[in-house]
Amino acid sequence: EMLRSLVGSEMCIRDSFGAVSMAAASFGFSAHAADVTLNFAHVDPAEWTTSKKGAASQVFKNIVEAESGGRIEVALFPAGSLGGETDLLQNTQDGTLAMSMVSGPFSKVCPEAAVLDVPYIFPNANVAWSVLDGDFGKELAAHCLEKTGLRTLAYGETGFRNFTNSKRAVAQPSDMEGLKIRVMTVPLFVEMVKALGGEPTPIPWPEVPTALTTGTVDGQENPISVIYANKFYEMQKYLTLDRHVYGTDFIVVNEAIYQDLSEADQALLRRAAGVASNVGRAIQQFNSAEGVAKLAEEGMEVTTPTAEQLKAFRDAAQPAVIEWLSGQIDAQWIEKLQAAVVEAEASM
């Protein structure tokens, strides 16, 4: 139901982008300088029809500029033009950048955010959205604000991550045995792959295509849209739709800059970010659904584990990661997330 709603929202945005732009022009943006300019950066392409962050940031910009009557300008810096996500976070913290939209590296500045990467914690996107937009998401945002000076205006989506490899079909943890899997340089992912029987190999993102081509690693893990966009089907034969980690985007703003705005303008930013996150989620869902079919057309062998096989993946990976994570953050965050997931599932 929620996905249908997001689809409808995305289609409306598609049809109304021109209208929003015209409305913005009618406020005379070019004739009058804005009172405030918010620089907003991310690492994804700017093209809104295919890029989740591109879509979210463009919608945010249009809403804020239109509804503020041009008093607030949002200057977008996509495609990593201001650096990688770690750079963007640092610049947003020190105020040289007003806003950014980032994913995994956010846990480097707020370690408790890593709880969202517990493998197989979210059974589907609907549950993830409910948890992130509900009390748990608000509590995590408040905690990270206090710790970092970054206010999370809304949560977006990078998508569920899945394994690919060049050796064999993987339907259960025992199939992972001995496979060299590239992971991000994030300890949690190392622990996860190790628990599943694979050989985790942390490699920086720019080196991944070469590592896959040369056989330095046998496989990797990423959302469907990333797998397709980077043509990993040319280097990888097998795709496993195990959806081990739900990737979250964080739309964050420097708290000092946020507090310099009026209460009405603060509310406008929150409202615009909420719409933007849903549009980004919709784009991501479209890309994922379409991407699986495209990857199959490109010759990848797609394996969808059964419920029993997924339980085996979860039983192998989750306890080991939770044990490791409990040594990094207060275990109450894990317990709170588990309770929030149970509650969200029960309400659906």
Side-chain angles (χ1 to χ4, degrees):
E1 292 295 331
M2 187 175 292
L3 179 54
R4 293 193 186 97
S5 174
L6 282 176
V7 171
S9 298
E10 193 277 340
M11 294 301 288
C12 289
I13 292 294
R14 222 182 249 259
D15 295 337
S16 64
F17 252 31
V20 172
S21 298
M22 290 177 63
S26 72
F27 283 113
F29 290 174
S30 59
H32 304 286
D35 295 335
V36 177
T37 298
L38 300 176
N39 292 335
F40 185 177
H42 60 82
V43 299
D44 280 12
E47 174 52 53
W48 79 271
T49 59
T50 58
S51 165
K52 56 191 176 295
K53 289 186 179 72
S57 60
Q58 186 64 54
V59 168
F60 179 86
K61 171 183 172 70
N62 285 6
I63 292 175
V64 170
E65 291 184 345
E67 293 194 19
S68 70
R71 290 182 301 100
I72 303 176
E73 176 188 4
V74 179
L76 299 180
F77 296 88
S81 58
L82 296 185
E85 291 196 331
T86 300
D87 300 316
L88 300 187
L89 277 171
Q90 181 178 342
N91 291 339
T92 309
Q93 280 187 289
D94 65 28
T96 56
L97 184 62
M99 296 183 60
S100 55
M101 188 172 183
V102 299
S103 52
F106 189 67
S107 63
K108 294 181 180 179
V109 296
C110 185
E112 289 73 16
V115 71
L116 300 176
D117 291 334
V118 169
Y120 309 101
I121 192 71
F122 293 116
N124 54 61
N126 297 71
V127 169
W129 298 334
S130 179
V131 169
L132 291 169
D133 296 342
D135 292 340
F136 178 85
K138 291 181 176 65
E139 184 176 357
L140 180 62
H143 173 81
C144 290
L145 169 59
E146 182 178 353
K147 200 158 195 172
T148 68
L150 297 173
R151 177 178 290 269
T152 300
L153 294 172
Y155 297 95
E157 174 178 291
T158 66
F160 278 105
R161 305 178 73 91
N162 302 277
F163 289 110
T164 68
N165 82 91
S166 59
K167 297 295 186 181
R168 55 179 175 268
V170 171
Q172 54 197 357
S174 59
D175 297 328
M176 293 278 289
E177 192 69 34
L179 290 179
K180 293 178 291 184
I181 303 295
R182 178 269 171 180
V183 294
M184 295 184 288
T185 54
V186 176
L188 183 147
F189 284 79
V190 171
E191 296 297 325
M192 176 185 67
V193 171
K194 190 187 306 180
L196 290 172
E199 298 179 13
T201 308
I203 294 176
W205 173 247
E207 301 172 22
V208 173
T210 299
L212 293 174
T213 301
T214 60
T216 301
V217 292
D218 302 313
Q220 60 84 56
E221 53 84 44
N222 257 303
I224 294 297
S225 57
V226 175
I227 295 169
Y228 182 76
N230 288 276
K231 298 184 178 181
F232 286 166
Y233 52 80
E234 295 180 351
M235 316 157 203
Q236 304 275 270
K237 173 67 176 177
Y238 304 98
L239 166 66
T240 301
L241 298 178
D242 70 305
R243 309 196 311 171
H244 47 268
V245 168
Y246 175 84
T248 305
D249 272 332
F250 301 80
I251 303 177
V252 297
V253 60
N254 176 279
E255 179 66 4
I257 293 174
Y258 177 84
Q259 290 299 336
D260 279 343
L261 301 173
S262 68
E263 290 186 5
D265 287 343
Q266 291 174 0
L268 171 57
L269 261 61
R270 296 194 303 271
R271 184 168 63 253
V275 176
S277 71
N278 280 338
V279 172
R281 288 169 175 173
I283 294 292
Q284 173 59 30
Q285 289 291 322
F286 291 153
N287 289 343
S288 293
E290 184 180 46
V292 172
K294 286 182 175 180
L295 290 172
E297 290 174 3
E298 293 290 348
M300 291 197 82
E301 182 179 316
V302 181
T303 299
T304 303
T306 65
E308 183 178 356
Q309 290 169 333
L310 278 177
K311 183 178 183 302
F313 276 105
R314 183 172 61 253
D315 290 347
Q318 199 173 94
V321 170
I322 287 177
E323 181 181 0
W324 174 84
L325 189 59
S326 296
Q328 309 299 311
I329 64 173
D330 189 333
Q332 285 190 13
W333 284 104
I334 302 170
E335 295 165 4
K336 288 178 180 179
L337 176 57
Q338 291 171 324
V341 168
V342 170
E343 183 180 354
E345 284 189 278
S347 67
M348 294 180 182

